[in-house]
Amino acid sequence: MTFTGTVANALTPAGIPMQLQQQTSTGWTTIATTTTDTTGTGTFTQTPHTTATYRITTSATTDSPALPANATYTVTVSPRATLGLTASASAVRSGTSVVVKAVLARTSTLAGVQVWLQQQGVDGLWITTSTGTTDTNGVAKWVITPRGSAAYRAVTADGSALTSSVVAVTVTT
């Protein structure tokens, strides 16, 4: 994620120190610093792993009453939730079981989320073949014995509309 701050109407726009700060339980902590370019813009790149509140601060002097010195603006961001899917084997002999595992990654509760395992039909439509519930690590898994080669995906059933990538399992004789 990129955070950009611009000091408008700065007396001298280049070289103004800026700080990216993250809110903690005890206050604000500076996590990155930069200086502005010739347009008065400073940029920070961060990869938040949890929902957090950030702010960009500067002590720039401006000639604008709309942007007083020491102006601070805050934003709360949440990382994107994902749903992954893996199979213990991509090819199995007929009658052999495969472990298919969905992994939910998000900042809110991981445990107790209902996940549907779906198989793609010959008509291209997805059919729910099994339902699972995530554990405290966000994992739901199924042991399946495919009758033939098939494509699988996982879909959350909690309204978050997450869909995994497709995993193919080939069955050989």
Side-chain angles (χ1 to χ4, degrees):
M1 167 169 276
T2 301
F3 296 90
T4 303
T6 302
V7 179
N9 301 314
L11 300 175
T12 307
I16 298 170
M18 298 181 100
Q19 301 80 36
L20 177 63
Q21 297 180 335
Q22 182 175 351
Q23 189 172 32
T24 66
S25 61
T26 58
W28 291 95
T29 301
T30 298
I31 57 173
T33 60
T34 192
T35 56
T36 57
D37 61 18
T38 58
T39 67
T41 301
T43 302
F44 304 91
T45 302
Q46 248 351 72
T47 305
H49 297 287
T50 61
T51 298
T53 301
Y54 297 91
R55 71 180 184 183
I56 295 175
T57 63
T58 183
S59 56
T61 303
T62 70
D63 59 5
S64 169
L67 182 67
N70 298 313
T72 300
Y73 300 94
T74 61
V75 61
T76 300
V77 297
S78 296
R80 185 173 164 234
T82 60
L83 182 64
L85 188 69
T86 59
S88 60
S90 59
V92 295
R93 290 197 178 278
S94 181
T96 303
S97 295
V98 177
V99 176
V100 179
K101 181 168 62 170
V103 179
L104 176 64
R106 64 181 185 189
T107 58
S108 57
T109 305
L110 294 173
V113 176
Q114 188 177 30
V115 180
W116 298 323
L117 179 63
Q118 296 183 332
Q119 180 178 340
Q120 191 171 30
V122 293
D123 57 2
L125 298 176
W126 291 95
I127 303 154
T128 300
T129 58
S130 298
T131 301
T133 303
T134 57
D135 62 18
T136 56
N137 296 313
V139 176
K141 65 181 171 180
W142 304 268
V143 177
I144 61 170
T145 306
R147 294 185 185 154
S149 298
Y152 296 91
R153 73 178 186 183
V155 179
T156 55
D158 68 350
S160 61
L162 295 176
T163 301
S164 73
S165 57
V166 175
V167 170
V169 177
T170 303
V171 177
T172 59
T173 54

